[in-house]
Structure formats: C-alpha cells, structure tokens
Amino acid sequence: MGQRIMKGAKLAVVRRAKILFLPISEGSYSMDGARRHGGHSELGGPSSSGGADLISALPDDMIIQVLVRLPCAGVAARTSLISRRWRGLWTRLPDLIFRDVMPGLLLAALSSLGPGAASLSLLDIHVPAVLDVVNRVSPSSRAGLRSSLRRRWPANYVSSLLRATARLSPAALRFSHPLNLEKPYVDVDLSACFHVTTSIELHAAFLCFPGPQFELPALQSLSLSGCRISLVALVPLCPRLSMLKVVDAFLPADDIIIRSASLQELIMENNVMGAWTGRVHVEAPALKQLTMHLRTGSDLSVSVSAPLLEKVSWRCMYSGAFIGLGIWGLLAARLETEKSNGQLGDDAPRVQVLWLHMFARCPRSYPDTVTGFATEIEKHMITGISGLEVHLITPEHVFGALMLRLLGMHRVRTATRSLKIVLQRFKMKDRCTPLVMSQRTG
C-alpha cells in the first residue's frame, strides 16, 4: 500500500513539473491556473471518479524528502500548487537556497520564517544581477524590470535582510548581492548577527566590517569578497577560525595584519587595480596553507611567522619600475610549493621554488646595489627554498652578469639546489621601451 501511495505521489510531481519550473514571466501560479493543467485528483482533492487523495496521505517527513530534491526554496514553495497539504512544508527544509529571487520578495520570504522553526544547516542567498534577470524575461517586460533593478536600494534594506537571515541561526551562510545601494558602504557587525554560525561566505561590494563588538565563538570558516574590512580587529575575535579567505577587499592603510592561534588556511587575493599592499604581517602558529596574491610598489614590509607551514602560493606583482638591478627590473616574485621532480601522488615530497620575473630596461638602469636588491628578494623567501626559476624578458641583452649576481646572494646561493632560466626574447618597434612587445620569438 505504501509503495502505491509513493508511486502515485511521484506521478503527480512529474505531471506538475512543467508548472513548477515555468519562468516567472510566463504565467500565474494560482490554484485555478493549476487546476486548468490537470485533474483535480492530482492537486490533492477528490476527483470526479472518486480517486484517493494520494498526496495528502503522505506523512510530512516523506513530503520533505521530496522537497529536499528540488533545486531551490522558491521551487519548493510553489509545490503548494500540487496540494494545500504541502503549504508551508518548505520552511522545514534543512537547507534553504534562494536563487534569482527579487530583493523585495526575498526579504518578505525570510521575514515570514519564524526563528527556530527548523534547524537550518545552510542558508544560501544569491540575489540576481541585472543582466541575469533581464535576459530571462520576455522582451516586452525587460524595460520596466531593468529600471527596477538598476535603482539604488536603501541601505536599511540590506541591514533588514541580514537581520532576517540572522534570526534563522543557520549553521552555514552564503550571501551574494551584486545590486547597488544608495550609500557606497553599509556597516555590518557580524558578531551581533551570527554568533552561532560556523561558516560564512559574503560576496558584495558594499559591505563594511568595522571592529566587531563581541566574539564569534562558533565561526570556523570565513570567506569575504569585495568588501571593506579590518582584519586586525576581526580575526582575534574568532577563537575557532580555521579558514579565512579574503578576495579583492579594501583594507585599512592597505595593510594585511593577521594574528590567530587557530588559523590553518589563509587565502588573500587582491587583484584590484591601483590597490597596493604596503605591509604583510602574519602570526599563525597553526597555519599549514598560505595563499597570498598581492600588488605592491617599492616599499613592502613582510613578516610571516608560521612554523607549521606546508603549502605556499605567494605571488607579488610590482606596479611600476621601482625595483631592479642594473638594467634588469623586477616585475614579479613568486614562491610556490611544488612536487619534487614532477612526482605524482599525495605522498610525493614537496619543494619550495622561488620564481623571479624580470625585464631588460635599456638605456635606463637601476641603482647598481646588490645588497638592496637582495633585501627585496629575501622578503619573499618566507620559507626555505630549494629551487630558483628566473624568467627574463629581453630583446637582445646578455644575462650572465645578472645570474652571477643573483647566485652570489648568500641566502639564494646556500639554499638553491636546482636552477631554471626561461628566456623570452622580443623585437622592439622603433627602439621603443622593451615593455611594448611586438613579437615573441622564443
């Protein structure tokens, strides 16, 4: 009997699929509209032939198992068209995922959920970007929708949205909001909102995180992008934080300062044009993986204390022609953890390789001081190295003297066990600067 009920319910869900996944612009989701697409018995009521109401006979736990397999909370909510019996059951899902829901409707949906109504494992909110929504509606509806989306939303709207999410106390939160606001930045105190959340991912260009007022005792994973944040104030108030990822963020005084006794993985990536990092200071005795991608000028300060560090990806781009030796300017310095001699497998031994990318800048030259250049290179040697890889961009210059100077540096000479030189030659147009390349010949 149970198998026949489940089979009938699955058939009803399949028959209603076309209604549930229709784009918003193509029809209404009223009960009358649903009835026009099928027999009343499929909607949970008695049919003219006296058929049983199979859907209403299902227990709540079984219906929730059906809803869990739907792609997002919006689709799950629309299953009330199948049967009144299903109304409100979507609020009891362990994971609530909102995709492409307009801001006003999203706030209404979150506000309708009572605190503690269900134990949420994940709350995933992605507000659609303008083009994402406009491209999915009919051409006749695009003008008004585009105007609505492009208007600047009040700052208190975002605060209300985050307060509504905090009321649900999710174990994990993902929040992405690309729409514009009336004010360029909105202050958000994470400690006042998500004191029981263990994982937070926030992707928005308008959020500002000042110094929190309280600890975040449960937070273990934090990922932020496009925001303004003070890491020196936030990180010490996260005693269980093990993973921190910050991408394209705006930092006070362009300094990266992190002190954490629990942090095991740190990812810092800054690809914002014009954003220079002046100082990197990391104190993390438990840190095992470090990814640091940054841009700098001529005055970079580096201090990394991580005795357990195992895997490194350090990339520093130099903006402008400030650092060099002789006619050779430094474009970038990298430190990468690689498997020894190309060996495969997780157990293969790993080595640290220092990469230097340099270009010939003739007829101008840099101060001919090996000591100053060596000091700059050693800033990037945050771990011991065993390999040196030098990439040289030059039209015709010899590089023997440069390599002798590099290998004459004490820390480079004593640590290097392997050396690789990659030569990239190019032709110059009308004897212009070597940075304007017309053809790469090898």
Short mmCIF file of all heavy atoms in Angstrom, two decimals, residues 270-300:
data_model
loop_
_atom_site.label_atom_id
_atom_site.label_comp_id
_atom_site.label_asym_id
_atom_site.label_seq_id
_atom_site.Cartn_x
_atom_site.Cartn_y
_atom_site.Cartn_z
N ASN A 270 44.30 39.87 -3.93
CA ASN A 270 43.91 41.23 -4.24
C ASN A 270 44.30 41.55 -5.68
O ASN A 270 45.47 41.77 -5.98
CB ASN A 270 44.56 42.22 -3.28
CG ASN A 270 43.95 43.61 -3.39
OD1 ASN A 270 43.12 43.86 -4.25
ND2 ASN A 270 44.34 44.50 -2.50
N ASN A 271 43.29 41.55 -6.57
CA ASN A 271 43.51 41.84 -7.98
C ASN A 271 42.93 43.19 -8.38
O ASN A 271 42.74 43.47 -9.56
CB ASN A 271 42.90 40.73 -8.84
CG ASN A 271 43.53 39.39 -8.59
OD1 ASN A 271 44.75 39.26 -8.62
ND2 ASN A 271 42.72 38.38 -8.31
N VAL A 272 42.63 44.03 -7.40
CA VAL A 272 42.06 45.34 -7.68
C VAL A 272 43.16 46.26 -8.21
O VAL A 272 44.20 46.44 -7.58
CB VAL A 272 41.45 45.95 -6.40
CG1 VAL A 272 40.90 47.35 -6.70
CG2 VAL A 272 40.34 45.04 -5.87
N MET A 273 42.92 46.81 -9.39
CA MET A 273 43.91 47.71 -9.98
C MET A 273 44.07 48.95 -9.11
O MET A 273 43.11 49.55 -8.64
CB MET A 273 43.48 48.11 -11.40
CG MET A 273 43.45 46.96 -12.38
SD MET A 273 45.09 46.20 -12.59
CE MET A 273 45.98 47.57 -13.32
N GLY A 274 45.32 49.35 -8.90
CA GLY A 274 45.60 50.53 -8.11
C GLY A 274 45.69 50.29 -6.62
O GLY A 274 46.04 51.20 -5.87
N ALA A 275 45.37 49.08 -6.17
CA ALA A 275 45.44 48.76 -4.74
C ALA A 275 46.82 48.18 -4.44
O ALA A 275 47.15 47.09 -4.89
CB ALA A 275 44.34 47.78 -4.35
N TRP A 276 47.61 48.89 -3.68
CA TRP A 276 48.97 48.45 -3.32
C TRP A 276 48.99 48.01 -1.86
O TRP A 276 48.43 48.67 -0.99
CB TRP A 276 49.97 49.58 -3.52
CG TRP A 276 50.26 49.91 -4.95
CD1 TRP A 276 49.56 49.47 -6.04
CD2 TRP A 276 51.29 50.75 -5.44
NE1 TRP A 276 50.11 49.97 -7.18
CE2 TRP A 276 51.17 50.77 -6.84
CE3 TRP A 276 52.29 51.48 -4.84
CZ2 TRP A 276 52.03 51.50 -7.65
CZ3 TRP A 276 53.16 52.21 -5.64
CH2 TRP A 276 53.03 52.23 -7.03
N THR A 277 49.66 46.92 -1.62
CA THR A 277 49.84 46.44 -0.26
C THR A 277 51.18 46.94 0.26
O THR A 277 52.22 46.74 -0.38
CB THR A 277 49.80 44.91 -0.19
OG1 THR A 277 48.52 44.46 -0.66
CG2 THR A 277 50.02 44.42 1.23
N GLY A 278 51.16 47.58 1.41
CA GLY A 278 52.40 48.12 1.97
C GLY A 278 52.99 47.24 3.05
O GLY A 278 54.21 47.28 3.29
N ARG A 279 52.15 46.40 3.71
CA ARG A 279 52.66 45.60 4.82
C ARG A 279 51.91 44.28 4.91
O ARG A 279 50.70 44.23 4.78
CB ARG A 279 52.48 46.37 6.13
CG ARG A 279 53.00 45.63 7.36
CD ARG A 279 52.65 46.40 8.63
NE ARG A 279 53.11 45.72 9.83
CZ ARG A 279 52.73 46.05 11.07
NH1 ARG A 279 51.88 47.06 11.25
NH2 ARG A 279 53.19 45.38 12.10
N VAL A 280 52.67 43.21 5.12
CA VAL A 280 52.11 41.88 5.37
C VAL A 280 52.68 41.38 6.69
O VAL A 280 53.90 41.20 6.81
CB VAL A 280 52.43 40.89 4.23
CG1 VAL A 280 51.88 39.51 4.58
CG2 VAL A 280 51.86 41.38 2.91
N HIS A 281 51.81 41.16 7.66
CA HIS A 281 52.25 40.67 8.96
C HIS A 281 51.32 39.54 9.38
O HIS A 281 50.12 39.74 9.60
CB HIS A 281 52.22 41.79 10.00
CG HIS A 281 52.71 41.35 11.35
ND1 HIS A 281 54.05 41.41 11.72
CD2 HIS A 281 52.07 40.81 12.41
CE1 HIS A 281 54.19 40.95 12.94
NE2 HIS A 281 53.01 40.57 13.39
N VAL A 282 51.85 38.32 9.46
CA VAL A 282 51.06 37.14 9.79
C VAL A 282 51.72 36.42 10.96
O VAL A 282 52.89 36.05 10.89
CB VAL A 282 50.95 36.18 8.58
CG1 VAL A 282 50.16 34.93 8.97
CG2 VAL A 282 50.29 36.89 7.40
N GLU A 283 50.96 36.24 12.02
CA GLU A 283 51.37 35.42 13.16
C GLU A 283 50.33 34.32 13.33
O GLU A 283 49.22 34.56 13.81
CB GLU A 283 51.46 36.25 14.44
CG GLU A 283 52.53 37.33 14.41
CD GLU A 283 52.54 38.13 15.70
OE1 GLU A 283 52.04 37.61 16.72
OE2 GLU A 283 53.03 39.27 15.69
N ALA A 284 50.67 33.09 12.89
CA ALA A 284 49.71 31.99 12.92
C ALA A 284 50.46 30.69 13.17
O ALA A 284 50.90 30.02 12.23
CB ALA A 284 48.94 31.92 11.60
N PRO A 285 50.62 30.31 14.42
CA PRO A 285 51.42 29.13 14.75
C PRO A 285 50.84 27.82 14.23
O PRO A 285 51.58 26.84 14.10
CB PRO A 285 51.46 29.13 16.28
CG PRO A 285 50.30 29.98 16.70
CD PRO A 285 50.13 31.00 15.63
N ALA A 286 49.53 27.76 13.91
CA ALA A 286 48.92 26.53 13.42
C ALA A 286 48.73 26.54 11.90
O ALA A 286 48.20 25.57 11.33
CB ALA A 286 47.58 26.30 14.10
N LEU A 287 49.17 27.60 11.22
CA LEU A 287 48.93 27.75 9.79
C LEU A 287 49.69 26.69 8.98
O LEU A 287 50.89 26.51 9.15
CB LEU A 287 49.35 29.14 9.33
CG LEU A 287 48.96 29.54 7.91
CD1 LEU A 287 47.45 29.65 7.78
CD2 LEU A 287 49.62 30.86 7.52
N LYS A 288 48.95 26.01 8.06
CA LYS A 288 49.55 24.98 7.22
C LYS A 288 49.52 25.34 5.73
O LYS A 288 50.37 24.89 4.98
CB LYS A 288 48.83 23.66 7.43
CG LYS A 288 48.96 23.08 8.84
CD LYS A 288 48.26 21.74 8.96
CE LYS A 288 48.44 21.17 10.37
NZ LYS A 288 47.74 19.86 10.51
N GLN A 289 48.52 26.13 5.31
CA GLN A 289 48.41 26.51 3.90
C GLN A 289 48.27 28.03 3.79
O GLN A 289 47.43 28.62 4.47
CB GLN A 289 47.21 25.83 3.23
CG GLN A 289 47.30 24.32 3.20
CD GLN A 289 46.17 23.70 2.41
OE1 GLN A 289 45.78 24.20 1.36
NE2 GLN A 289 45.64 22.59 2.90
N LEU A 290 49.09 28.62 2.94
CA LEU A 290 49.07 30.07 2.74
C LEU A 290 49.02 30.40 1.26
O LEU A 290 49.86 29.94 0.48
CB LEU A 290 50.31 30.71 3.37
CG LEU A 290 50.52 32.20 3.08
CD1 LEU A 290 49.39 33.03 3.68
CD2 LEU A 290 51.87 32.68 3.61
N THR A 291 48.01 31.19 0.88
CA THR A 291 47.91 31.74 -0.47
C THR A 291 47.86 33.25 -0.34
O THR A 291 46.95 33.80 0.30
CB THR A 291 46.65 31.24 -1.19
OG1 THR A 291 46.70 29.81 -1.30
CG2 THR A 291 46.55 31.84 -2.59
N MET A 292 48.83 33.93 -0.93
CA MET A 292 48.92 35.39 -0.81
C MET A 292 49.24 35.95 -2.20
O MET A 292 50.36 35.77 -2.71
CB MET A 292 50.00 35.78 0.19
CG MET A 292 50.08 37.26 0.50
SD MET A 292 48.78 37.87 1.59
CE MET A 292 49.16 37.00 3.12
N HIS A 293 48.27 36.63 -2.81
CA HIS A 293 48.46 37.26 -4.11
C HIS A 293 48.22 38.76 -3.94
O HIS A 293 47.11 39.17 -3.57
CB HIS A 293 47.48 36.69 -5.14
CG HIS A 293 47.66 35.23 -5.40
ND1 HIS A 293 46.80 34.48 -6.18
CD2 HIS A 293 48.62 34.36 -4.97
CE1 HIS A 293 47.21 33.23 -6.22
NE2 HIS A 293 48.31 33.14 -5.50
N LEU A 294 49.24 39.56 -4.20
CA LEU A 294 49.14 40.99 -3.91
C LEU A 294 49.91 41.81 -4.94
O LEU A 294 50.69 41.29 -5.73
CB LEU A 294 49.65 41.27 -2.50
CG LEU A 294 51.06 40.76 -2.13
CD1 LEU A 294 52.11 41.81 -2.43
CD2 LEU A 294 51.12 40.37 -0.67
N ARG A 295 49.67 43.12 -4.88
CA ARG A 295 50.39 44.10 -5.69
C ARG A 295 51.09 45.08 -4.74
O ARG A 295 50.56 45.39 -3.67
CB ARG A 295 49.44 44.87 -6.61
CG ARG A 295 48.74 44.02 -7.64
CD ARG A 295 47.69 44.84 -8.39
NE ARG A 295 46.99 44.05 -9.37
CZ ARG A 295 47.35 43.92 -10.64
NH1 ARG A 295 48.43 44.57 -11.08
NH2 ARG A 295 46.67 43.17 -11.47
N THR A 296 52.24 45.55 -5.15
CA THR A 296 52.98 46.47 -4.29
C THR A 296 53.80 47.42 -5.14
O THR A 296 53.89 47.29 -6.37
CB THR A 296 53.88 45.70 -3.30
OG1 THR A 296 54.39 46.60 -2.33
CG2 THR A 296 55.04 45.03 -4.05
N GLY A 297 54.42 48.39 -4.45
CA GLY A 297 55.29 49.34 -5.13
C GLY A 297 56.73 49.10 -4.75
O GLY A 297 57.30 48.05 -5.01
N SER A 298 57.32 50.07 -4.08
CA SER A 298 58.75 49.97 -3.78
C SER A 298 59.05 49.82 -2.29
O SER A 298 60.20 49.71 -1.91
CB SER A 298 59.47 51.22 -4.29
OG SER A 298 58.93 52.40 -3.69
N ASP A 299 58.03 49.82 -1.45
CA ASP A 299 58.27 49.79 -0.01
C ASP A 299 57.37 48.76 0.64
O ASP A 299 56.39 49.09 1.31
CB ASP A 299 58.03 51.19 0.59
CG ASP A 299 58.49 51.28 2.03
OD1 ASP A 299 59.27 50.40 2.45
OD2 ASP A 299 58.06 52.21 2.74
N LEU A 300 57.69 47.50 0.48
CA LEU A 300 56.89 46.41 1.03
C LEU A 300 57.57 45.85 2.27
O LEU A 300 58.76 45.55 2.27
CB LEU A 300 56.73 45.28 -0.01
CG LEU A 300 56.03 44.01 0.47
CD1 LEU A 300 54.57 44.31 0.81
CD2 LEU A 300 56.12 42.92 -0.60
#
